[in-house]
Amino acid sequence: RGLGDTAFGVGPFPAATFLPALLARLRREHPGVNLRVEISNWQQLLARLLEEDIEFFVADTRDLPPHPLVRIDALRREEGGFYVRAGHPLPRRKPVTLRQVHAYGIASVRLPDDVRALLARLLEAPGKDAATLALQCDDLHLLKTVALQSDAVLAAPHSAVVRELAARTLRPLEVSGLPAVAAQMGVVRLRGRTPSPMATLILDQLP
């Protein structure tokens, strides 16, 4: 079929979870199609979308403000947590405090505003710098590498660390007083636009 080429964007969480398998499947089934994938935070992807440089993007949409030109369709929620390397100094079999976690330095993608506010409140140090990250990066693979090779604490969705947890190279932390936190994945596209055939195929295969 003549599906044509397309360009789309993904945030750090999709890039580290379902994107590799999706792209591999598309290459196997449609080797003649050319794809361009932008991996970035939602702010940059939204700018690309409004410039019509990409057809759509998939990202955590919790902080994405309403926009008259933009449509958001909810996907699944991604439960998250804190993870450390095997042999990390933090206790293995008992809850730790958020202050202990923060003291070792948190490595994460850019935190949504509600998560930053929650961490600041739990740390009892309100203010924009209260929940400062030791390492902020949109590349989850890089963040995992840093956590595996240092005492930094990784904040990530569970689905991004399944392999490391199974291999016991990373272990989850139980943080006392921390409520469940989840990212809300969504598809973001321009209103009133019909997706190209290839974009439609990709959208139909999103988990």
Side-chain angles (χ1 to χ4, degrees):
R1 294 183 298 168
L3 291 169
D5 304 336
T6 192
F8 65 99
V10 292
F13 291 171
T17 54
F18 61 78
L19 179 67
L22 173 60
L23 290 179
R25 184 165 64 250
L26 291 171
R27 290 304 307 156
R28 290 194 304 269
E29 297 175 357
H30 308 282
V33 170
N34 298 317
L35 301 173
R36 177 166 57 84
V37 183
E38 299 277 345
I39 300 176
S40 189
N41 55 64
W42 71 259
Q43 293 92 336
Q44 296 294 328
L45 294 175
L46 179 60
R48 296 282 190 275
L49 180 70
L50 294 173
E51 293 167 357
E52 301 189 37
D53 186 49
I54 56 176
E55 283 201 67
F56 66 90
F57 68 87
V58 183
D60 185 355
T61 59
R62 284 175 292 176
D63 276 358
L64 206 153
H67 192 291
L69 299 179
V70 170
R71 164 184 170 181
I72 304 173
D73 296 309
L75 292 174
R76 67 187 185 187
R77 289 171 61 82
E78 290 274 7
E79 302 292 334
F82 290 111
Y83 306 91
V84 294
R85 64 172 177 81
H88 192 280
L90 283 172
R92 181 176 178 82
R93 289 188 168 83
K94 66 178 182 178
V96 298
T97 67
L98 185 59
R99 285 186 178 277
Q100 287 176 293
V101 171
H102 195 257
Y104 280 97
I106 297 173
S108 175
V109 301
R110 178 172 177 158
L111 295 176
D113 291 342
D114 62 335
V115 176
R116 289 180 62 87
L118 171 65
L119 295 183
R121 185 169 70 252
L122 293 176
L123 288 167
E124 298 179 346
K128 66 178 183 178
D129 296 325
T132 300
L133 296 176
L135 175 59
Q136 178 177 298
C137 177
D138 287 333
D139 187 335
L140 258 174
H141 292 293
L142 186 151
L143 294 174
K144 284 196 290 186
T145 299
V146 171
L148 287 166
Q149 298 181 14
S150 74
D151 288 341
V153 179
L154 174 67
H158 177 81
S159 57
V161 294
V162 170
R163 183 176 301 177
E164 289 79 10
L165 292 175
R168 298 186 179 180
T169 53
L170 285 178
R171 61 179 176 85
L173 287 178
E174 182 181 348
V175 183
S176 57
L178 184 69
V181 177
Q184 176 59 62
M185 295 294 105
V187 176
V188 185
R189 47 184 161 162
L190 294 176
R191 291 186 182 276
R193 302 295 177 87
T194 301
S196 67
M198 192 63 201
T200 299
L201 179 67
I202 296 169
L203 291 170
D204 287 345
Q205 295 190 38
L206 292 176

